[in-house]
Amino acid sequence: MLKRQNPSTPEHSRNLAADGGALSMSHNDSRSFFNLSQLVLSAGQIKPSPALKHSKITYFEVEIVDVQSKKQICIVDKVPPASTLLDVKHKFHKACPQWYPSRVGLQLERNGPFLKDSVSIQSLAVSSIVTLYFTDLGQQVGWTTFFLTEYTGPLLIYLLFYIRLSTIYDQVESRKNFRHPVVHLACFCHCLHYIRHLLETLFVHKFSEGHTPLKNMIKGCAFYWGFTSWIAYYINHPRYTPPSFGHKQVSYAALAFLMCEAGNHFINVALAHQTNSEGNRTCFPSPTYNPFTWLFLLVSCPNYTYEAGSWISFTVMTQTLPVGIFAFLMVIQMSLWAQKKHKLYLKKFYPEVRRKAAMIPIIF
């Protein structure tokens, strides 16, 4: 007879033990693999070593060509893309020492405008070679030197006529004639006008470009110095006659002159506060609590308005023909400057300027 196997026999126990051992071993293996995976993940991903990138900088070559003869002067090579036109001028000066950067004018086209020093070479480049046309601007002077020379002359020249030098006036006639108070007042107002200009040149104004041709300074000095000599000669002459309406005419004109001078100063200060270090206007000036700046509501160039008012008032106060001619020419010149600036303002700040006049409401 076949005997029924007892599950609790030692043989069956061994089989179960063997099966259980196999199961426990496979479980331990999977657990060890899981722990190893967790260890790898906790250590972070294994990143491949970064490949070395070779940065390649593209340099430009700037060809300098004479604007008249169209002949090549030199080639400025290895110009970085971030270089400005001023950097190119300095390198050009090293290659050609006779051309200082201040007197070098560069154009992208022969009949085009002169490029500013702040323009980057990369913005001009169409290919790796940039062709620029060279023009000799002549001897240059700084803007500060330009205005200081232009305004110092009238200040000193007027004082020479005011003290009545013997080489200018007859000393016998100078001692006999009594000086009218308007002569002293005119000297004070004239000196105040040019002292204000000198102080604003030193401490208020910001100039965009660093230089201007020397011939412009010579022309400006000839105009201001010549007219000052003519004006001062008549006002300080021993035979000078006072204005027709006497004290009232002089008082009202002097008051208007002082108000225009104050307005001109406050306008220049307002313009300087809204100009960056390079001389470029960041936004159109707006009126402040100062009543002298409210003229911005009507015109875009109130500094020229006040300047014209000063010379018109000075003409009424002294009642002399040379001052009247000078004031007339100044009004024409400043109206041209105001219209030119007004057009620039229209391009940059159209909404704020479109309803304003340039210098005098309705007229200019």
Side-chain angles (χ1 to χ4, degrees):
M1 291 181 64
L2 295 174
K3 292 183 179 181
R4 195 176 191 180
Q5 293 182 357
N6 191 354
S8 61
T9 58
E11 185 178 356
H12 183 69
S13 299
R14 284 195 302 269
N15 293 335
L16 289 176
D19 294 338
L23 290 173
S24 64
M25 288 178 63
S26 63
H27 180 69
N28 290 334
D29 291 341
S30 62
R31 190 170 185 179
S32 299
F33 179 75
F34 176 77
N35 292 334
L36 180 61
S37 301
Q38 290 294 106
L39 180 63
V40 171
L41 292 175
S42 64
Q45 295 182 355
I46 300 177
K47 296 181 181 180
S49 58
L52 294 176
K53 295 182 180 180
H54 300 282
S55 59
K56 187 176 180 181
I57 300 177
T58 304
Y59 291 97
F60 293 101
E61 290 185 356
V62 180
E63 180 187 18
I64 309 295
V65 179
D66 187 79
V67 70
Q68 295 181 352
S69 63
K70 299 182 182 179
K71 293 181 180 180
Q72 183 187 98
I73 301 176
C74 74
I75 293 180
V76 181
D77 56 353
K78 293 185 178 181
V79 178
S83 298
T84 61
L85 207 65
L86 183 60
D87 299 329
V88 174
K89 288 183 179 181
H90 284 291
K91 291 185 177 182
F92 177 55
H93 173 58
K94 291 181 179 179
C96 304
Q98 69 272 24
W99 306 118
Y100 293 94
S102 60
R103 66 184 298 169
V104 174
L106 296 177
Q107 302 163 276
L108 195 60
E109 299 175 356
R110 290 190 64 194
N111 298 324
F114 290 109
L115 300 172
K116 293 184 178 181
D117 292 342
S118 58
V119 175
S120 64
I121 295 299
Q122 192 171 13
S123 63
L124 303 175
V126 180
S127 62
S128 60
I129 300 177
V130 181
T131 302
L132 297 176
Y133 294 93
F134 162 76
T135 301
D136 181 16
L137 300 177
Q139 186 66 35
Q140 303 286 301
V141 294
W143 279 110
T144 303
T145 304
F146 175 89
F147 288 114
L148 290 179
T149 306
E150 191 176 69
Y151 296 143
T152 304
L155 180 63
L156 299 178
I157 290 172
Y158 196 97
L159 291 176
L160 292 177
F161 282 91
Y162 176 74
I163 61 178
R164 292 183 176 178
L165 295 176
S166 58
T167 55
I168 301 175
Y169 303 111
D170 181 67
Q171 288 298 308
V172 177
E173 194 174 28
S174 299
R175 293 192 189 96
K176 289 181 179 179
N177 292 338
F178 170 76
R179 292 197 188 192
H180 194 274
V182 69
V183 176
H184 305 290
L185 182 61
C187 180
F188 169 78
C189 292
H190 191 274
C191 293
L192 176 67
H193 178 79
Y194 284 102
I195 289 174
R196 178 183 62 81
H197 274 302
L198 290 172
L199 294 177
E200 289 177 351
T201 300
L202 292 174
F203 305 108
V204 177
H205 293 304
K206 298 177 183 178
F207 306 108
S208 55
E209 297 296 335
H211 300 85
T212 185
L214 177 63
K215 60 182 181 181
N216 290 344
M217 188 180 76
I218 295 175
K219 290 190 294 185
C221 291
F223 177 78
Y224 280 98
W225 294 17
F227 262 103
T228 300
S229 301
W230 192 23
I231 290 170
Y233 176 80
Y234 270 80
I235 296 177
N236 296 286
H237 198 279
R239 297 182 181 180
Y240 168 76
T241 55
S244 303
F245 297 96
H247 179 72
K248 185 179 293 186
Q249 177 179 344
V250 173
S251 300
Y252 286 131
L255 180 61
F257 177 87
L258 295 176
M259 291 181 64
C260 289
E261 287 295 303
N264 201 340
H265 172 71
F266 288 121
I267 292 296
N268 289 331
V269 171
L271 292 174
H273 285 168
Q274 297 181 352
T275 305
N276 56 22
S277 58
E278 297 179 354
N280 298 321
R281 189 139 296 123
T282 55
C283 60
F284 185 76
S286 56
T288 62
Y289 63 90
N290 191 335
F292 289 102
T293 63
W294 295 350
L295 200 57
F296 275 121
L297 298 172
L298 301 176
V299 296
S300 59
C301 303
N303 52 325
Y304 294 139
T305 307
Y306 282 123
E307 184 78 9
S310 294
W311 285 113
I312 293 173
S313 303
F314 194 77
T315 303
V316 176
M317 181 178 65
T318 58
Q319 195 174 317
T320 53
L321 180 63
V323 181
I325 295 175
F326 180 75
F328 176 74
L329 295 177
M330 288 293 291
V331 169
I332 293 177
Q333 181 61 67
M334 285 183 290
S335 66
L336 296 176
W337 290 340
Q339 290 177 20
K340 185 178 180 180
K341 282 192 175 183
H342 186 71
K343 290 180 181 179
L344 295 177
Y345 287 156
L346 286 175
K347 292 180 181 179
K348 297 177 66 175
F349 317 111
Y350 175 73
E352 296 92 342
V353 189
R354 62 190 179 94
R355 293 186 178 181
K356 301 180 190 298
M359 176 178 158
I360 300 177
I362 301 174
I363 299 176
F364 295 113

